[in-house]
Amino acid sequence: MKIIVPMAGRGSRLRPHSLTVPKPLIPVAGQPIVHRLVKDIVKVLNQPIEEIAFILGDPAWFGDDVVSSLESLAQSLGAKATIYRQDQPLGTGHAIMCAKDSLSGPAVIAYADTLIRADFNLDPEADAVIWVKQVDEPEAYGVVKLNEKKEIVELVEKPDTFVSDLAVIGIYYFKDVAVLKEELQHVLDNNIINGGEYQINDGIKGMMAKGKIFKTGEVSEWMDCGNKTVTLETNQRMLGFLTADGEEQLVSNSVTLENSKIIEPCFIGDNVSLINATIGPNVSIGNNCTIENATVKNSLIQNHTSIKNANLDEAMIGNHVKYNGEFTKISIGDYSIME
């Protein structure tokens, strides 16, 4: 089994945080989004992964440190990491074809801007599986249309009238991804463009037209990381799941507390100092941070950051930040100073 992970986008809706850190590497509950996503997929598949192919964008944004972190992630899962580059933002289908040398055999394709919780078995009769989530407002999503056999027969983008309430979340399984590769090559060769880009959906439609059987795999939780508000919500939900699972140590043994308390659930990284502080609930704090004379809840703080004299709620703060003030709802990127 292979996992193919397109992650070339910078994440403009998550600026300023995605100006210096690519969005898939922004931590949620202490781990980068893409790390959590890949680990959760491996857990769902419950089978050996031979290769994880990452499609990255401009090396100026996805540099050697990013490559190193992804190689370490793959190694920790017993897989080989393969790095590809998408030099132009030409769409999902184009991104996948940048990894064409890895497009053979059974594979999962997953876009690295979402997190899931799922527990299901892949249908052995299906040529492909599209992972979906039941939603309340299907008109806002791309959804799947099913026949009486519960097979996917059509993909419909933001339907005006009700088609189904099963939204496509951006994770796909192919029994032989080489079949998708062939269809996407046809898309590229014939310049089939939708929305100004080459889309994976056009490759999938080509497979359906040739009689390939698509089934659904329904996830129990689908968490977006598209902007500050939903990323904070995802951080909160993930902390709750991890606390209930009890499988990860969320508060490092190296945390020092001086007249401070932690209200769970929280993630607190290595070498964090809490001085006259109340932290939580629903807070993630990265490594090497200092929080002094402050109350912080429902917030996400990255690494090497100092917070003083603050009362923060729904705050998202980047790396190497120095913040001293009385503001509450804030969004501060890397290397900012507010005094």
Side-chain angles (χ1 to χ4, degrees):
M1 179 72 74
K2 300 177 182 179
I3 301 176
I4 315 295
V5 188
M7 48 183 290
R10 300 175 190 172
S12 60
R13 291 188 298 149
L14 203 48
R15 290 176 180 171
H17 302 278
S18 57
L19 283 174
T20 56
V21 178
K23 183 175 73 168
L25 294 180
I26 290 175
V28 169
Q31 289 188 29
I33 294 167
V34 66
H35 288 221
R36 288 209 173 276
L37 174 64
V38 170
K39 289 178 181 179
D40 285 344
I41 290 172
V42 170
K43 187 181 295 185
V44 171
L45 295 175
N46 194 29
Q47 57 183 284
I49 307 300
E50 64 178 88
E51 178 185 4
I52 305 176
F54 300 96
I55 301 103
L56 310 182
D58 188 338
W61 294 90
F62 297 86
D64 291 343
D65 55 338
V66 175
V67 171
S68 178
S69 75
L70 297 175
E71 290 175 340
S72 296
L73 170 63
Q75 184 178 10
S76 72
L77 297 169
K80 175 184 74 171
T82 308
I83 305 298
Y84 296 95
R85 296 285 180 179
Q86 184 186 25
D87 55 3
Q88 300 179 69
L90 297 178
T92 56
H94 178 267
I96 293 164
M97 289 299 286
C98 290
K100 61 183 178 181
D101 289 346
S102 295
L103 299 181
S104 62
V108 167
I109 296 174
Y111 294 99
D113 59 355
T114 188
L115 292 172
I116 62 163
R117 303 286 284 184
D119 183 15
F120 63 84
N121 295 318
L122 294 171
D123 190 328
E125 297 182 358
D127 295 301
V129 173
I130 298 178
W131 294 13
V132 298
K133 177 70 174 73
Q134 190 172 30
V135 294
D136 293 331
E137 299 178 349
E139 66 275 8
Y141 302 90
V143 300
V144 297
K145 182 178 180 180
L146 306 180
N147 63 14
E148 66 279 358
K149 297 179 182 178
K150 301 297 182 181
E151 297 169 350
I152 302 172
V153 293
E154 190 177 354
L155 301 175
V156 183
E157 185 66 27
K158 297 181 180 179
D160 293 329
T161 58
F162 183 83
V163 174
S164 86
D165 57 2
L166 298 177
V168 177
I169 70 170
I171 306 178
Y172 312 82
Y173 163 77
F174 298 89
K175 186 181 290 185
D176 184 2
V177 74
V179 181
L180 176 69
K181 175 183 176 180
E182 180 180 343
E183 295 300 329
L184 287 177
Q185 189 62 59
H186 175 80
V187 169
L188 296 178
D189 290 344
N190 291 275
N191 201 34
I192 300 172
I193 292 177
N194 280 296
E197 298 179 335
Y198 300 102
Q199 304 290 355
I200 185 177
N201 281 3
D202 290 310
I204 290 172
K205 290 174 183 177
M207 291 179 64
M208 290 179 176
K210 293 180 179 177
K212 298 300 182 182
I213 297 174
F214 280 74
K215 294 289 189 72
T216 60
E218 190 166 353
V219 301
S220 57
E221 296 287 344
W222 174 27
M223 295 164 281
D224 190 14
C225 299
N227 57 45
K228 174 210 164 190
T229 299
V230 298
T231 300
L232 290 176
E233 291 174 358
T234 293
N235 182 68
Q236 176 178 338
R237 291 167 67 187
M238 186 58 69
L239 285 171
F241 294 138
L242 295 173
T243 300
D245 292 345
E247 297 176 0
E248 292 185 27
Q249 181 176 347
L250 297 182
V251 178
S252 172
N253 293 330
S254 62
V255 173
T256 59
L257 288 84
E258 181 180 325
N259 192 32
S260 298
K261 66 177 179 178
I262 299 169
I263 304 172
E264 295 184 347
C266 288
F267 171 88
I268 304 180
D270 295 332
N271 303 315
V272 171
S273 296
L274 304 178
I275 305 165
N276 300 321
T278 299
I279 306 299
N282 308 315
V283 172
S284 289
I285 300 174
N287 300 331
N288 304 303
C289 291
T290 299
I291 314 294
E292 185 175 356
N293 299 326
T295 298
V296 184
K297 58 185 178 180
N298 305 313
S299 297
L300 195 160
I301 300 168
Q302 296 188 48
N303 302 301
H304 303 282
T305 284
S306 173
I307 307 293
K308 293 183 178 181
N309 306 316
N311 182 9
L312 301 181
D313 187 5
E314 300 180 18
M316 187 168 173
I317 301 176
N319 299 285
H320 300 277
V321 172
K322 294 181 180 179
Y323 175 76
N324 186 338
E326 300 296 337
F327 300 103
T328 55
K329 294 186 178 182
I330 60 175
S331 185
I332 303 174
D334 296 353
Y335 296 99
S336 300
I337 299 176
M338 299 181 68
E339 296 180 331

